[in-house]
Amino acid sequence: MLKKPAMEEHPRGPAYGLTPTLPPEVCVQHFSLWMLSSCFDVDCRSNTASVAPARAMSQDDALSRLPDEIAARVLSFLADARCLARLCCASRLWSVRAASDAHWQPLFLQRWGPPRRTLSQDDPLDSASNDAAKEKAVRWKDLYRAMRALQDRWKREPPATTTLSSEHGPAVAIHSHFLVRASTSDFSLRIVRRSDWRCVRTLVGHTDQIVAACVDADGRNVLTGSTDTTIRLWDLATGNCVLVIEGFSSPATTLRLTPHGVFAFCRFHSAKLFDRASGALLLDCQSLERIAWSWDASDRGLASLSVDGSVKLWDPAARLCKQVILQSIRDIFVGCVQFDGDRVAVSRGGRADIAIWDCGKDRLVREIDTGCSRFQAFSLVGARLACVAWDVLKVWDVQSGEELQRFAVGLDAMSILMDTSAVLWSNLDGSVVVCEFGTGIPYLPYL
């Protein structure tokens, strides 16, 4: 009796319903790239290869005859923005297919994460621009190109620098459309529009100096803390104070508006969480061992820095510590922590470096040398870190450790703020210097 050969040894393989040597996904990928190479000069050896100058093509090429679902599947294996951009020049039909949001959205999210402003949010200060934005749809391909141009400017071009007078006081918060400045003369809050640097709102209510402020994600509310030991929540549309929280023994130095409520960290290491509607106390964490707190800009969690050098990540909903990092650092006597996305930046007293920790991979990714053990402030936003050390402000790329920009700020610089398109510092006299990198770039509020 003849012995039946093993399935993997069958000479005709998958044609007879047997298990193929390669997984089906790999076979489909190789076949798709082979089809693309036959028409577009794509290097099939890598699905991220660049595209050579495309040959002159007729409108009726082989791939144009494919159904839209199959064409989208073929293009899904081109995980490189340059390939998609070159395919847009092949023909009118492929220009439509390669410009689809289904291909560009994953590329954008994989490289830079979600945009800071969703495509449906409005400008809280300008209704006319909201109507114009609704008439013109924003495509993910356009956002990708705008973000790429913004990244190049941070690396290669000098910024547009503007010096704001001390009339409205130092800047305490930054938003994509406006700055929040705290007046030292009448203790009011000034909302300054970034397009023309004009004061468009004046919020009056505090009876002493404002020391902390934050803006919620959609830019409709501002939370402020003052040395009068009160916290106030403001509605920017009306300019009214909608909530007052009292009963603090010291001013709040760190504030955050979150989906869980109003978070406030005061001096002497007291962190509290309040209900956003009623102001009722939800959580009170009084611990002398924690010297700094930072809430993630994406509202995914909370980080605390303790005197023993450990950094803990907290889940505000469950009110539990979910991760402990940097336990080996034992030399902190003064420090600060910044939590943004999946990264935590920690400064250590008496040290000239800032440690960058990747929370997802749970490892130290970089230590950035500031050049000075006594630096005034630092800020972590996305993949960039800014720090003021004596009279110099430096901006680094966290992933590569490369120094992107350097500014001479003088010895009067007391605080810095940064977002994806600008960095600014406030001086002791109340003046503010803004270095803008996004001038002229479209869709800047979304980046």
Side-chain angles (χ1 to χ4, degrees), residues 36 40 50 127 153 175 177 206 266 312 419:
L36 290 171
F40 299 106
S50 59
S127 59
R153 287 194 181 181
H175 186 262
H177 293 285
H206 283 293
C266 302
K312 298 180 180 180
D419 65 356

Side-chain angles (χ1 to χ4, degrees), residues 150-346:
L150 182 61
Q151 300 294 325
D152 292 341
R153 287 194 181 181
W154 275 97
K155 293 181 179 180
R156 299 182 179 90
E157 298 184 13
T161 304
T162 304
T163 302
L164 308 180
S165 66
S166 59
E167 176 184 1
H168 303 304
V172 291
I174 187 171
H175 186 262
S176 58
H177 293 285
F178 56 85
L179 293 181
V180 180
R181 303 183 65 180
S183 176
T184 57
S185 58
D186 57 0
F187 312 126
S188 63
L189 202 68
R190 311 291 177 89
I191 308 300
V192 180
R193 188 164 50 198
R194 289 178 63 172
S195 58
D196 54 7
W197 306 115
R198 291 181 54 191
C199 180
V200 295
R201 296 282 192 281
T202 300
L203 311 179
V204 180
H206 283 293
T207 59
D208 210 336
Q209 181 64 42
I210 298 174
V211 294
C214 74
V215 185
D216 61 356
D218 57 7
R220 301 185 182 277
N221 298 100
V222 176
L223 187 67
T224 57
S226 170
T227 53
D228 61 8
T229 66
T230 63
I231 296 176
R232 293 177 180 265
L233 181 62
W234 308 85
D235 183 1
L236 285 185
T238 61
N240 298 328
C241 179
V242 297
L243 179 64
V244 179
I245 302 176
E246 300 177 334
F248 292 92
S249 59
S250 59
T253 57
T254 302
L255 295 174
R256 180 69 183 172
L257 278 170
T258 75
H260 308 282
V262 175
F263 173 79
F265 172 65
C266 302
R267 296 175 184 174
F268 308 112
H269 324 305
S270 175
K272 299 181 180 181
L273 186 66
F274 300 89
D275 182 74
R276 187 165 178 170
S278 62
L281 180 63
L282 302 178
L283 179 64
D284 188 359
C285 181
Q286 294 185 357
S287 176
L288 295 179
E289 68 172 6
R290 298 185 183 95
I291 58 178
W293 293 80
S294 177
W295 199 289
D296 173 30
S298 302
D299 296 322
R300 289 181 290 180
L302 181 68
S304 66
L305 174 64
S306 303
V307 293
D308 64 351
S310 64
V311 176
K312 298 180 180 180
L313 303 185
W314 302 81
D315 184 355
R319 303 178 183 179
L320 297 173
C321 176
K322 60 182 181 180
Q323 187 176 359
V324 180
I325 59 178
L326 295 176
Q327 285 185 312
S328 61
I329 302 175
R330 300 292 178 181
D331 58 349
I332 293 184
F333 57 89
V334 175
C336 184
V337 60
Q338 287 279 331
F339 187 25
D340 187 83
D342 295 327
R343 299 184 182 92
V344 173
V346 183

Side-chain angles (χ1 to χ4, degrees), residues 41-56:
D41 289 347
V42 180
D43 186 0
C44 295
R45 292 172 297 179
S46 172
N47 64 334
T48 59
S50 59
V51 179
R55 298 189 297 265

